[in-house]
Amino acid sequence: MCGLSGHWPGGAALAPALAQDIGERMAQALRHRGPDGGGSWVGPQGLCLAHRRLAIIDLSEGGAQPMHCHSGRYTIVFNGEIYNYRALRAQIDAACGPLAWRSRSDTEVLLQAISCWGLEAALARLDGMFAFALWDAQTATLHLARDRFGEKPLYYGYAGDAFVFGSELKALFAHPQWSGRLDTDAVVDFLRLSYVPAPLSIFANVRKLMPGCSLAITRADVAARAWPASRPYWSARQVALAAMADPAAGSERELVDGTESRLRAAVRSRLVADVPLGAFLAGGIDSSLVAAMMMAESTGPVRTFSIGVHDLRYDEARHAAEIARHLGTEHTELYVSPGATLDIVAQLPALYDEPFGDSSQIPTFMVAQMSRRHVSVALSGDGGDELFGGYNRHSWVPRIWQWTRHLPPPLRHLCAQVLEARSPGQFDAAFAVLRRVLPSRLHARTVGDKLHKLAGVLGAATPQQMYAGLVSSGAAGAALMLRPASGSADAQLFRPQEQMALAQWMMLCDTENFMPDDVLTKVDRASMGVGLEVRVPFLDAALYEWAWRLPVSMKIRHGQGKWVLREVLRRHLPPALIDRPKSGFGIPLDALLRGPLSDWMDASLARATLDRHGVLDPDAVDTLRARHRSGKSNNAYLLWNVLALTNWIEAQRAHIHL
């Protein structure tokens, strides 16, 4: 796990010393991602590859980068881990060797796999999370590549006449020709979604490499300031369709067995390290399963970590502690105070150097910070919802659509008005009484917010539009802009797939969009901000394919998601620790913005600041803030996006051309 960066001038070739100096300044901006060392290499016409290292496998200098292959043809800077590197090393020896290996590192294995089989064939064999830049001296071509699911980030674009790339935008800011132009469509997308969807970045002159893709660029391309076309070497959509065409056979018990064995194998492969490991334990199904599998596979004690908040709507720490006691892990927890939250808020614009609005970034950063005091690698349960139908929308949207599809539009509008006539807090209070008589599977948290969200999508013409409305703020974000901007069309973000049931389609859309651009971005920046490597067992290619071979009934049953995962977990935990309502890993944002963070919000959204930026309409922002403060509506999530954008612009003004 590391940080990579580089540049390639398109004009006159730079002197090697100057090219190296620029490259090292870019890499230094990523020091938090790689505190254990760094290096750089200068190639033809001033091309420079630079690296910062977080040593996890082979802690010796043998694993240092940039690294050259044995023949000298390829040079690489690499961020990530190749979990099957030992098996690949044996295969390389059998096919192209045996080789006189110089290290025990997975980086050397990756290089020699490319030398042995070629880039495309090597990518197909990799099991891991990664982003890398590879120079091919024979063809004078620079290649960039990113892992299947987008666990590791990779930005690329132009600074003046130079092609620049890096693990984070910070590296690009360090180039002397950098000038960032805000992409107003990306701003609207951010306000709608809480993240900037790939391949866009917040800047018009920078893009993100899509998951499962690579690209190639030559000196002639750079001189012409061309945007190289990326090409997929793996597709979540195509794998899902192929898996559905080959459904898993067997009884329910056999399918549960198959799920457990594949999850256990995924966890086992992610335990390879030369440093201490642990796990995030949020108290839900996914993180509990990962911890249970770690206990089954580890020969020594397993450390787990959780964050708690003093709000029963969101607190999972007490439940996580019960699970840790039952599993027998060495557990550490930390409760978040409003003061600590404000301290973290001040760090967010630097930590996420692109606007990012998922408020669970705060507890995620805190659990990463706490974990790093004890371990260098942590496993997380991310990805389970996307693969196994775990989000409430996966079960609710099909049922709500069946109920509303036959209602005439005026009646839908009336239903929405009825729901919006009561505040979220009033609904929560009423449901607190109903909980006493409702079965546990119908218990839910933040019911008022969910009902207000439902009111906003009752007018949807299709179930796909209903889903798109639930995962975004709709047109509300665009209404805050001073200058017109449309953002990405839903057809681009949520591509139809007729061969799939509605729930399956939503899971696929979440895998392609929400997971890489929100969930994995959050985890990467929060963990790498403190030099912690996080591994995600659910994002194992074999487990992903298996999940799509399962029928929907093995995932969503009786209105509840992740049925098969619950059955696996019953083998490790008692039912009382499993049968609970789903709760996201978040903070009480609505209350915080009305209370402890209220003054900070007012200062951040001062009219003078908004006027200076020239991006958002101060009057529209004031109205949004006033409605939230009054309690008439919960605008916390859109407000948080506005705050994230405004504070990011203010912090990065030196790097933005406004």
Side-chain angles (χ1 to χ4, degrees):
M1 186 67 65
C2 309
L4 66 89
S5 59
H7 65 99
W8 200 0
L14 298 180
L18 178 57
Q20 186 169 31
D21 178 66
I22 293 172
E24 290 182 351
R25 275 186 280 158
M26 294 176 71
Q28 188 64 20
L30 303 176
R31 184 181 177 87
H32 55 285
R33 297 185 71 95
D36 297 330
S40 59
W41 170 83
V42 176
Q45 291 88 40
L47 166 68
C48 183
L49 306 182
H51 190 259
R52 292 297 313 182
R53 185 185 184 197
L54 175 62
I56 300 295
I57 295 175
D58 190 352
L59 310 187
S60 73
E61 283 301 306
Q65 300 180 43
M67 186 180 290
H68 309 282
C69 73
H70 291 200
S71 70
R73 174 177 175 177
Y74 297 107
T75 302
I76 198 169
V77 283
F78 163 66
N79 168 29
E81 302 290 351
I82 307 301
Y83 303 124
N84 63 336
Y85 77 99
R86 290 172 176 167
L88 288 176
R89 179 166 167 158
Q91 294 169 22
I92 293 166
D93 277 339
C96 306
L99 297 179
W101 295 94
R102 303 165 181 163
S103 71
R104 296 183 297 105
S105 73
D106 55 346
T107 308
E108 185 182 4
V109 173
L110 171 58
L111 267 174
Q112 294 309 129
I114 296 169
S115 295
C116 184
W117 297 305
L119 178 59
E120 294 295 325
L123 285 169
R125 292 172 182 251
L126 300 181
D127 173 17
M129 56 176 182
F130 56 83
F132 63 77
L134 177 81
W135 171 248
D136 183 346
Q138 182 172 304
T139 62
T141 303
L142 178 68
H143 299 271
L144 304 182
R146 193 177 180 200
D147 64 64
R148 292 174 175 85
F149 295 100
E151 293 184 67
K152 293 295 102 186
L154 190 52
Y155 292 87
Y156 66 97
Y158 284 92
D161 66 6
F163 182 74
V164 291
F165 53 92
S167 298
E168 297 180 23
L169 287 170
K170 295 179 184 67
L172 279 58
F173 294 166
H175 192 279
Q177 294 188 65
W178 170 260
S179 177
R181 292 175 287 109
L182 282 185
D183 183 332
T184 53
D185 281 344
V187 172
V188 170
D189 281 338
F190 165 72
L191 291 173
R192 286 182 59 209
L193 300 167
S194 302
Y195 59 84
V196 178
L200 297 180
S201 84
I202 196 65
F203 294 110
N205 52 316
V206 177
R207 296 177 183 173
K208 302 183 187 100
L209 186 59
M210 294 289 284
C213 288
S214 67
L215 63 80
I217 188 167
T218 65
R219 168 69 182 212
D221 296 328
V222 175
R225 287 181 57 89
W227 287 99
S230 64
R231 56 185 184 275
Y233 65 86
W234 188 88
S235 165
R237 184 170 293 248
Q238 294 306 314
V239 170
L241 290 171
M244 290 173 62
D246 181 27
S251 65
E252 284 191 346
R253 180 182 178 83
E254 289 170 330
L255 297 182
V256 173
D257 290 342
T259 302
E260 180 170 16
S261 66
R262 285 165 176 80
L263 178 56
R264 187 163 171 168
V267 169
R268 184 188 312 125
S269 69
R270 284 157 179 79
L271 295 180
V272 177
D274 295 330
V275 294
L277 298 95
F280 296 163
L281 184 57
I285 301 297
D286 307 328
S287 63
S288 300
L289 266 175
V290 169
M293 297 297 104
M294 285 184 72
M295 287 294 295
E297 289 293 328
S298 299
T299 56
V302 171
R303 300 206 61 148
T304 52
F305 307 91
S306 67
I307 290 291
V309 294
H310 299 287
D311 187 320
L312 294 180
R313 297 176 301 164
Y314 294 89
D315 184 46
E316 291 286 288
R318 291 175 299 170
H319 186 65
E322 291 181 40
I323 292 171
R325 280 194 294 271
H326 188 88
L327 292 176
T329 69
E330 295 184 6
H331 190 62
T332 304
E333 67 181 20
L334 174 69
Y335 271 80
V336 180
S337 68
T341 299
L342 189 56
D343 290 341
I344 298 299
V345 162
Q347 302 178 48
L348 295 179
L351 189 66
Y352 295 85
D353 53 7
E354 188 173 46
F356 187 74
D358 185 336
S359 62
S360 64
Q361 62 195 154
I362 294 174
T364 302
F365 176 75
M366 288 182 166
V367 75
Q369 190 177 52
M370 175 177 62
S371 302
R372 186 63 179 93
R373 301 188 189 110
H374 307 279
V375 299
S376 298
V377 176
L379 274 60
S380 86
D382 295 301
D385 288 311
E386 289 80 2
L387 270 65
F388 292 96
Y391 293 125
N392 290 326
R393 56 182 173 265
H394 297 155
S395 56
W396 288 6
V397 169
R399 289 188 293 169
I400 293 169
W401 177 251
Q402 288 301 317
W403 174 63
T404 61
R405 60 185 295 193
H406 302 298
L407 296 178
L411 188 53
R412 291 195 206 182
H413 181 65
L414 178 61
C415 290
Q417 286 183 315
V418 170
L419 290 174
E420 291 173 336
R422 295 289 182 270
S423 71
Q426 289 174 311
F427 280 116
D428 288 343
F431 193 78
V433 177
L434 290 175
R435 281 174 64 96
R436 302 169 189 169
V437 296
L438 288 175
S440 61
R441 67 182 179 84
L442 294 180
H443 290 185
R445 301 182 181 185
T446 62
V447 172
D449 289 346
K450 293 179 174 67
L451 290 176
H452 270 228
K453 191 75 171 176
L454 171 62
V457 299
L458 282 179
T462 66
Q464 288 77 18
Q465 287 183 11
M466 184 173 284
Y467 163 80
L470 287 174
V471 298
S472 75
S473 63
L480 300 175
M481 299 286 290
L482 274 176
R483 296 187 295 273
S486 58
S488 301
D490 284 348
Q492 292 176 265
L493 292 173
F494 312 121
R495 293 182 292 145
Q497 193 65 61
E498 294 181 0
Q499 300 96 313
M500 294 180 175
L502 178 58
Q504 291 173 310
W505 176 79
M506 288 188 286
M507 285 183 258
L508 180 63
C509 287
D510 286 336
T511 299
E512 292 181 322
N513 300 299
F514 178 69
M515 187 172 71
D517 293 328
D518 186 304
V519 176
L520 297 178
T521 296
K522 171 186 66 181
V523 172
D524 175 81
R525 302 306 190 280
S527 59
M528 294 311 295
V530 295
L532 176 74
E533 175 176 303
V534 173
R535 300 175 178 179
V536 188
F538 278 103
L539 299 187
D540 177 87
L543 180 60
Y544 176 82
E545 181 181 4
W546 170 258
W548 278 96
R549 293 182 65 202
L550 297 176
V552 176
S553 61
M554 293 290 291
K555 302 176 182 180
I556 302 172
R557 188 172 297 193
H558 305 307
Q560 191 174 54
K562 296 190 284 198
W563 181 87
V564 66
L565 296 186
R566 294 172 189 273
E567 292 302 299
V568 173
L569 192 55
R570 289 182 197 281
R571 300 174 176 182
H572 302 271
L573 291 176
L577 295 180
I578 300 171
D579 297 328
R580 304 170 62 252
K582 179 176 177 59
S583 176
F585 186 48
I587 58 174
L589 192 59
D590 54 343
L592 286 170
L593 291 179
R594 294 188 184 106
L597 297 185
S598 180
D599 290 344
W600 167 78
M601 175 175 67
D602 290 342
S604 298
L605 301 182
R607 182 170 292 265
T609 301
L610 298 180
D611 286 341
R612 181 166 61 247
H613 297 171
V615 176
L616 299 177
D617 181 346
D619 292 332
V621 171
D622 282 348
T623 300
L624 183 73
R625 184 172 31 161
R627 283 188 59 81
H628 179 77
R629 182 170 278 138
S630 71
K632 294 179 180 178
S633 58
N634 182 2
N635 294 327
Y637 298 107
L638 182 54
L639 268 174
W640 188 257
N641 291 349
V642 169
L643 286 161
L645 175 67
T646 303
N647 281 288
W648 176 82
I649 292 175
E650 190 67 12
Q652 307 291 356
R653 282 173 60 201
H655 307 300
I656 305 171
H657 181 69
L658 293 171

